[in-house]
Amino acid sequence: MTGVPGTDGPVPWWREAVCYEIHPRAFADGNGDGTGDLPGATARLDHLAELGVDAVWITPFYPSPLADGGYDIADHTGVAADLGTPADFDALVERAHALGIKVLVDVVPNHTSDQHPWFRAALAAAPGSPARQRYLFRDGRGEKGELPPNDWQSAFGGPAWTRVEEADGLPGQWYLHLHAPEQPDLNWRHPQVTAEFERVLKHWLDHGVDGFRVDVAHTLFKADDLPDAGPGQHQDVHRNHLMPYYDQEELHPLFRNWRTLLNHHPAPAGAVAPHERVMVAEAGIFDRERLARYVAADEMQQVFNFAFLECPWDGAALRDVVEESVRAMRAVGAPVTWVLSSHDAVRPVTRYGGGRAGERRARAAALLMLALPGAAYVYQGEELGLPQADIPDDRIRDPLWERSERRHRGRDGCRVPLPWSGTAPPYGFGAAAPEDCWLPQPADWAELTVTAQQDDEDSMLTLYRAALRLRRDHPAADTVLRVQGPADGSWFAFDRSARLRCLVNFSARPVPLDDGARVLLSSAPLDGRTVPQDTGVWMIHEEYPR
Ligand code: NOJ
């Protein structure tokens, strides 16, 4: 076994893990009401075992009025009634562990739902009262307090402040919400907030989880006095860490405390040992050195590499992201956590051009990602090559749609129920009629179901299964990643290990395979001994180690 940089210990499971993201309402419907649920997910865990993943991350399944797909939480330790019961969650964890799959859940510490008892109490209480201090209530600017306290913008569009009506029926204070108005931001300088989230972490650890995905981990603290952010908020990603609501210093002592909690809180049977628990940060910070601070040895273990996800299909740009990400993370001894898709992003097949071209590139991108050293997250349906679906106006659920005055259709197109089997909606998702399903499925997905793909050797599912198996057989070497290829980025290659080499060709000019190399897997048929355009290939040399 190779060591961890800077230590002699064995490689922790999460450094090279493949974790599968389950968005439960769209994964599998167990009770036939049209909404995916926890028993439905449990019954489909076999699919993930066959795929060969190491872990699952389940997006919020907590009680929620669903103003933002469940990221508006009314009870952080409950289970939403439409998804099941606490016992159903325990059953899911037990089944996953029996299959050798670890379980991560979301912790959403930046905000609560406006239906959370704390926020209801805050609204019922007077300005300046203790109940308001757990959130960020402020008086407005302007003569009569009619202007928001500062210029911050919500990530979903519009001001990040909403004015409340006070007990006298008159407009009063404003509260901060970096997302939807139904998601008031908590005041992380309040000791009750800190204590509450320690309780939340312990609750889920006691129920056997192996780690947490931390939602918008970079926004919990806001700069003192809430100064204006100035123009260009949410647009200029290169200076986003300078926003007064992003990336504040106080985050790091907090995450160190959480790490200590995870390392010491006892683990129930079936869960990983306390020091093997993982925290993965969702932090939209694009400065790589700043991002690397979240995965210092005594904080989190992983942080999603969104630069990889957001990079267009361009060899030079992708090579730069790969090299720079590995370099920045290596400096703090952390792996890169690669991600090609999520419940927030346009599906890769569509993002890379759609149709046959998009599909071909998404296949090559999968082989690129899965050969890179580090961890990878696979979002449900990525392994089926699903494209982004069109959602009719009257079925859109994402708050982005209304908040952007119907300019941005939002993220529902990647949150459509998975097609499992059959030739027409609901494609085995559950027993409900298609029109009663969580979001409508396209009529032309018959060839994309798990059943249709599983015995087809050219399918995306077969490619993912093969890549995950080979990746396990060929662990990444703990060496500096050396990327080779021409400066124009028309193709590049790198060694995953002494045996396995990955090459991706982005250009119309065919690239010859290495002399003497044997092909293990390719994302498209090769042309004799050359790699055609938009193709990834994994090869080994017969006389290894080279
Ligand atoms: C990130 C989540 O992935 C996204 O779906 C959500 O809208 C925001 N955080 C707010 O919680």
Side-chain angles (χ1 to χ4, degrees):
M1 216 184 260
T2 45
V4 182
T7 75
D8 294 327
V11 179
W13 69 271
W14 44 262
R15 287 189 76 95
E16 282 285 315
V18 174
C19 182
Y20 185 95
E21 179 189 349
I22 294 181
H23 195 60
R25 287 187 176 78
F27 187 66
D29 173 15
N31 66 0
D33 66 356
T35 299
D37 48 42
L38 297 179
T42 305
R44 292 290 190 181
L45 287 175
D46 288 343
H47 166 67
L48 305 186
E50 272 172 56
L51 183 57
V53 305
D54 302 287
V56 290
W57 148 39
I58 311 169
T59 64
F61 51 86
Y62 317 116
S64 164
L66 296 180
D68 179 23
Y71 281 91
D72 49 316
I73 299 171
D75 171 4
H76 290 80
T77 53
V79 173
D82 61 332
L83 294 186
T85 63
D88 291 331
F89 178 75
D90 292 341
L92 186 154
V93 172
E94 196 183 330
R95 178 71 185 142
H97 285 163
L99 290 168
I101 297 174
K102 297 168 181 75
V103 179
L104 272 53
V105 297
D106 246 291
V107 58
V108 184
N110 181 70
H111 42 264
T112 68
S113 158
D114 62 351
Q115 299 307 311
H116 190 285
W118 277 7
F119 194 71
R120 293 164 80 115
L123 285 186
S129 59
R132 287 217 172 164
Q133 281 159 19
R134 293 186 289 223
Y135 293 90
L136 292 158
F137 279 85
R138 292 290 183 278
D139 294 333
R141 294 201 274 206
E143 229 169 87
K144 298 200 174 99
E146 71 280 14
L147 299 172
N150 67 24
D151 69 352
W152 297 1
Q153 296 292 300
S154 146
F156 296 150
W161 295 93
T162 290
R163 197 168 191 190
V164 303
E165 192 178 281
E166 304 293 0
D168 58 8
L170 295 173
Q173 287 197 301
W174 299 71
Y175 68 88
L176 179 72
H177 51 86
L178 291 182
H179 297 86
E182 296 87 352
Q183 292 167 296
D185 278 43
L186 286 162
N187 171 14
W188 268 91
R189 299 217 166 91
H190 196 299
Q192 285 178 15
V193 172
T194 320
E196 170 64 0
F197 277 87
E198 289 180 2
R199 184 186 74 84
V200 171
L201 295 176
K202 287 179 186 165
H203 173 87
W204 294 112
L205 292 175
D206 290 341
H207 284 265
V209 309
D210 304 293
F212 298 96
R213 178 262 193 193
V214 183
D215 189 61
V216 284
H218 58 306
T219 64
L220 310 191
F221 291 91
K222 282 77 182 176
D224 270 336
D225 302 331
L226 313 181
D228 279 345
Q233 305 174 49
H234 304 303
Q235 269 109 56
D236 187 353
V237 295
H238 299 293
R239 46 183 290 275
N240 65 2
H241 63 281
L242 300 172
M243 292 302 145
Y245 46 84
Y246 278 8
D247 204 25
Q248 302 292 306
E249 277 313 306
E250 293 99 318
L251 289 168
H252 298 287
L254 173 72
F255 296 148
R256 283 198 280 276
N257 286 342
W258 285 8
R259 181 72 245 163
T260 306
L261 187 159
L262 262 60
N263 279 353
H264 291 97
H265 193 73
V272 296
H275 67 278
E276 292 184 341
R277 289 171 173 149
V278 63
M279 280 190 289
V280 53
E282 188 232 7
I285 300 289
F286 287 82
D287 178 300
R288 292 187 180 94
E289 270 68 35
R290 302 287 308 184
L291 200 60
R293 302 178 71 214
Y294 291 75
V295 284
D298 54 356
E299 295 192 28
M300 306 226 189
Q301 288 60 55
Q302 302 178 331
V303 56
F304 293 125
N305 190 303
F306 289 127
F308 186 68
L309 183 155
E310 300 206 347
C311 189
W313 186 248
D314 174 294
L318 276 166
R319 177 180 174 162
D320 181 65
V321 168
V322 164
E323 288 187 298
E324 285 304 309
S325 306
V326 172
R327 186 192 53 72
M329 292 290 147
R330 234 192 125 68
V332 293
V336 184
T337 297
W338 306 103
V339 49
L340 269 180
S341 59
S342 83
H343 66 283
D344 291 328
V346 173
R347 294 259 188 205
V349 167
T350 305
R351 216 169 61 222
Y352 293 143
R356 292 267 169 241
E359 201 181 298
R360 186 178 174 103
R361 291 172 182 160
R363 291 173 63 91
L367 289 199
L368 166 60
M369 172 173 85
L370 295 169
L372 286 165
Y377 279 67
V378 172
Y379 172 53
Q380 66 184 40
E382 176 182 327
E383 81 282 19
L384 303 177
L386 300 186
Q388 192 79 354
D390 290 327
I391 310 293
D393 290 6
D394 61 345
R395 297 289 303 269
I396 294 182
R397 293 174 174 272
D398 194 334
L400 261 167
W401 174 236
E402 294 297 346
R403 296 279 300 167
S404 69
E405 289 162 355
R406 300 191 162 207
R407 279 192 302 270
H408 192 315
R409 300 192 73 78
R411 302 158 292 180
D412 292 336
C414 67
R415 299 176 178 183
V416 167
L418 282 200
W420 292 93
S421 58
T423 54
Y427 302 111
F429 171 67
E435 58 278 14
D436 296 331
C437 281
W438 176 243
L439 284 167
Q441 296 164 307
D444 60 353
W445 276 10
E447 284 174 17
L448 295 174
T449 66
V450 173
T451 307
Q453 294 198 38
Q454 64 193 359
D455 298 321
D456 174 357
E457 60 181 35
D458 297 326
S459 73
M460 187 71 106
L461 180 57
T462 301
L463 183 76
Y464 267 80
R465 282 183 180 169
L468 263 57
R469 182 171 37 79
L470 286 168
R471 176 187 154 92
R472 238 177 236 248
D473 294 346
H474 295 268
D478 175 33
T479 49
V480 174
L481 186 77
R482 258 185 266 288
V483 183
Q484 293 150 357
D488 66 2
S490 52
W491 63 271
F492 66 81
F494 57 91
D495 292 332
R496 172 172 171 82
S497 65
R499 297 169 168 196
L500 188 123
R501 183 169 171 76
C502 172
L503 185 154
V504 186
N505 182 15
F506 299 83
S507 78
R509 215 170 334 115
V511 179
L513 290 172
D514 295 352
D515 283 346
R518 180 163 64 86
V519 172
L520 281 185
L521 190 60
S522 70
S523 64
L526 301 186
D527 206 354
R529 289 211 35 102
T530 64
V531 182
Q533 182 163 25
D534 294 341
T535 303
V537 61
W538 290 5
M539 56 185 146
I540 56 171
H541 283 248
E542 293 298 356
E543 69 290 0
Y544 47 80
R546 288 185 293 132

